[in-house]
Each structure stands twice: as C-alpha cells, then as structure tokens.
Amino acid sequence: MRMIERDLFFKYLPLHIVLIIPIPGRFVFGITIVLEHILLTLVGTLINSLVDTLRLKELKTVIIMLAIISASVLFRQILVVTYTEIALTLGYLIFLPAVSLFLIQIVYSDLENPLGVRLRENLIQTAVFSVGTLILFLFRDIAGYGTFTFYSKNHTFSEKILFERESAGILSFFATLPGILLIVALMLFASLRFHEKINREFGESK
C-alpha cells in the first residue's frame, strides 16, 4: 500500500467505525456487517477491474456505486430469507457500509496492480476493519447485555446469558452510546498515533 493510500486508510477507518455505532450492539449484528463488508469489497474490486477492462472509465463511479448498492440490496434480501429477525432489526442500517468512505477508498486503491494483488490487499484492509468491528460488538454484547449472541435456527439468532447485566458494573457504561463514542475517540487517537509512527519510520528509512 502506497503512502497516500495508507494515509487515506487510517483517515477513513475511524470514520467507518463511527458509522456502525448506530447498529445494535450485539455480536451477531457485528458478524453480519462484517460479512456484508467483505461482499461489498469483493464486488467493488471486481467491478472496478471489469470497468477498466471494458474501458468505461467515464462511467466508472456510477457503475461501481450501482454495483455496491445492488450487492447491499441482494445481501439484505438473502438475510430476509435466512435470518428474518436480524434483517428486521437492522432495517435500513444494513445499507450503511455501502456509503462508507472507507469502503470506497479500499475499492479505488492500488489501481495499477493486477486484479489478484488488489483483491489480496483489499481483503487484508477489510480484515483489519473486521477484527476491530467484531471486538467492538463482542464487548458491547457482553458488557452491555451480559450475553453472547450468534446465528441460530428458525430464521433468528440465539442469545446465551453469561451473567446478569447489573453485575457488569462500570463496563456497562462503555457499552452505551456515550461509552462507545468514548471508545471510538480513543481508537481514533491510537490510530492517528500509530499512523504518525509509521510515517516517521518510513520517512527515516528513505
């Protein structure tokens, strides 16, 4: 990943994390959003390469955005059929990843590289987002509700009670909206510091 693209990656990653805060803090919803993000990354990267091959650069942005939105609609329809309760709970929040600057930055990165290299690099970036997202949703699920949620049968999800919610103490605050905003602010600070450290190391190595 080039320096400019690395700058954009660290810039948009916290913004995307802020974007998923309105989604209910259950681990199963975090997995759902991660799966959708992986699908949109694959679709966006493949369509971007196809547009370049067909030499339709004037329509590139329109075609890619239509493909990403269509993939989101398809993902939601599959979710309605397979896990109706999750689809109903998420509602239109399921379309948030499609309008993420973080996703768009990934899809448009490393355009000069072969498709295989771009797919690998884009999925690596998506994996970084996915790990952070799953940790965030797992924490919110356990600390906020004292539960662990996962996919189950009969078009719904299972909820395993780990402990009473009242026993979480101060951790339950960090599962609330103000608490999550504080955590995201700390993640933003850590991301920026890590970004600065990488820039210094790369600058010294030149």
Side-chain angles (χ1 to χ4, degrees):
M1 194 190 308
R2 292 176 301 176
M3 182 67 68
I4 296 177
E5 292 167 353
R6 186 182 298 108
D7 291 345
L8 292 174
F9 174 78
F10 282 99
K11 177 180 178 181
Y12 291 136
L13 177 58
L15 295 177
H16 190 66
I17 294 176
V18 172
L19 193 66
I20 65 175
I21 285 179
I23 299 174
R26 296 301 186 102
F27 185 66
V28 68
F29 298 145
I31 296 178
T32 303
I33 293 300
V34 164
L35 291 176
E36 181 187 9
H37 202 282
I38 293 174
L39 172 64
L40 298 185
T41 299
L42 288 173
V43 170
T45 305
L46 292 174
I47 293 298
N48 195 354
S49 179
L50 178 61
V51 169
D52 287 341
T53 301
L54 297 177
R55 298 180 180 180
L56 299 173
K57 294 184 178 180
E58 295 80 5
L59 300 174
K60 173 183 283 191
T61 300
V62 175
I63 294 175
I64 291 177
M65 291 309 301
L66 285 176
I68 289 176
I69 293 174
S70 300
S72 296
V73 174
L74 176 61
F75 182 83
R76 186 179 186 278
Q77 292 307 114
I78 294 175
L79 203 61
V80 168
V81 175
T82 55
Y83 292 98
T84 309
E85 186 176 357
I86 296 177
L88 292 175
T89 302
L90 289 177
Y92 289 102
L93 295 175
I94 198 76
F95 298 116
L96 288 180
V99 297
S100 167
L101 291 175
F102 177 64
L103 173 66
I104 295 173
Q105 179 269 325
I106 289 179
V107 169
Y108 278 90
S109 64
D110 296 328
L111 297 180
E112 73 282 357
N113 290 331
L115 177 59
V117 175
R118 288 168 57 192
L119 278 173
R120 185 180 68 251
E121 292 294 329
N122 291 353
L123 289 176
I124 289 175
Q125 294 184 59
T126 303
V128 173
F129 155 78
S130 300
V131 170
T133 298
L134 291 178
I135 292 176
L136 187 62
F137 275 92
L138 180 62
F139 173 77
R140 294 179 69 184
D141 199 357
I142 296 176
Y145 301 94
T147 60
F148 175 77
T149 55
F150 203 73
Y151 298 105
S152 184
K153 299 178 180 179
N154 301 322
H155 306 279
T156 183
F157 61 91
S158 62
E159 179 182 87
K160 180 178 178 59
I161 300 177
L162 302 178
F163 54 83
E164 294 296 329
R165 184 176 180 179
E166 292 76 13
S167 62
I170 193 174
L171 289 179
S172 60
F173 164 76
F174 291 102
T176 63
L177 186 57
I180 289 300
L181 288 174
L182 177 60
I183 291 178
V184 169
L186 294 175
M187 292 176 66
L188 173 59
F189 176 76
S191 175
L192 292 176
R193 290 300 299 271
F194 182 65
H195 180 207
E196 292 174 357
K197 182 178 180 181
I198 289 181
N199 281 341
R200 286 198 301 267
E201 290 180 354
F202 272 85
E204 294 174 356
S205 61
K206 291 181 179 181

